[in-house]
Amino acid sequence: MVKANIVREEDGIPMLYKEFKRGFGVRIVHPQNPKAPSKNLSVQLLYIAPGGKVDPHSHENEEVYILLEGTGRGQFGLGKPIDIEPGMFFHLPANAEHGLENTGKTMMKVMVTTSPPFPVWPEWEIVAPKTEERKK
């Protein structure tokens, strides 16, 4: 029987992305995370500080964005940006333009699922410490 991986946000791998200004990501379910090594999808959290943004971009990977906290503007290939707020879901087919800007006063938190996952970044490879090392 295959067991589930049960992880918390703090078990994720922090990531910096070139499209980000004043923000970062945390790869929680991803081939790169030994605590939740997925094969066909990824789940990560994006954090964007007030005034920060993810520059508009596109890629082959299909994504779903779910705005959990904060407010702002989003670009989704609709011709003009739209206001975004918690509870909104955005399905991004392959090659759909997308970008976010935090126009609010608090941190923006976005859950992102991606299929297939983005590749492992070698400079961020994580080797899980042995049990004896974790106890120190």
Side-chain angles (χ1 to χ4, degrees):
M1 178 164 65
V2 177
K3 295 186 281 184
N5 297 306
I6 300 171
V7 293
R8 296 181 182 273
E9 182 177 344
E10 57 265 22
D11 295 322
I13 310 297
M15 301 300 295
L16 298 174
Y17 298 100
K18 65 181 179 180
E19 299 88 6
F20 271 52
K21 308 291 187 281
R22 300 189 68 202
F24 64 95
V26 180
R27 288 182 171 177
I28 299 168
V29 175
H30 190 275
Q32 191 165 6
N33 187 349
K35 294 181 179 182
S38 65
K39 293 182 181 179
N40 301 310
L41 65 88
S42 69
V43 177
Q44 63 185 324
L45 292 172
L46 304 181
Y47 288 91
I48 306 168
K53 65 179 181 172
V54 178
D55 288 332
H57 62 286
S58 63
H59 42 72
E60 284 290 321
N61 309 63
E62 188 171 7
E63 293 182 302
V64 173
Y65 280 24
I66 306 162
L67 187 55
L68 301 174
E69 298 175 10
T71 58
R73 309 264 302 152
Q75 294 189 35
F76 301 103
L78 302 173
K80 64 180 184 173
I82 63 167
D83 291 333
I84 59 174
E85 60 187 36
M88 295 177 86
F89 288 63
F90 307 95
H91 172 237
L92 304 167
N95 299 307
E97 179 185 61
H98 53 287
L100 300 172
E101 181 179 4
N102 183 344
T103 59
K105 297 183 187 300
T106 61
M107 184 69 76
M108 181 183 282
K109 185 176 181 180
V110 183
M111 180 184 292
V112 178
T113 62
T114 306
S115 180
F118 289 111
V120 170
W121 292 7
E123 65 270 26
W124 290 89
E125 282 189 78
I126 302 297
V127 177
K130 295 182 176 141
T131 304
E132 305 81 54
E133 294 173 11
R134 280 188 256 156
K135 292 179 182 176
K136 294 179 184 178

